[in-house]
């Protein structure tokens, strides 16, 4: 459950993808920012959704904000 979601549920790279996703960038833009393929971004997002038990990028970002991992407009993990 997300009520006890520890920060270490996400890998550093997943956290990075989540933070950039919070800025509203597309998978293609995230891929370009991190120098990885859009498919790799999709895999990271799928892992994030699974680990956080959510079905969307918005829900994942909201959990990230709730737990203080993400701040809107900031592309770096806290």
């Amino acid at each position: 459950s997300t009520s006890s979601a520890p920060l270490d549920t996400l890998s550093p790279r997943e956290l990075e993808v989540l933070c950039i996703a919070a800025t509203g960038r597309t998978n293609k833009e995230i891929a370009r920012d991190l120098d990885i393929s859009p498919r790799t971004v999709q895999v990271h997002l799928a892992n994030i959704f699974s680990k956080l038990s959510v079905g969307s990028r918005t829900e994942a970002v909201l959990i990230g904000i709730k737990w203080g991992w993400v701040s809107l407009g900031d592309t770096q993990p806290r």
Side-chain angles (χ1 to χ4, degrees), residues 26-55:
T26 65
N27 288 5
K28 193 182 263 187
E29 290 168 331
I30 294 169
R32 193 176 54 233
D33 289 349
L34 298 178
D35 199 28
I36 58 179
S37 76
R39 176 75 187 126
T40 302
V41 173
Q42 287 178 325
V43 169
H44 285 314
L45 287 169
N47 290 340
I48 291 165
F49 295 172
S50 175
K51 289 179 178 184
L52 299 181
S53 303
V54 298

Side-chain angles (χ1 to χ4, degrees), residues 56-67:
S56 75
R57 165 190 300 240
T58 302
E59 288 176 283
V61 168
L62 287 173
I63 288 173
I65 292 167
K66 174 183 170 187
W67 287 97

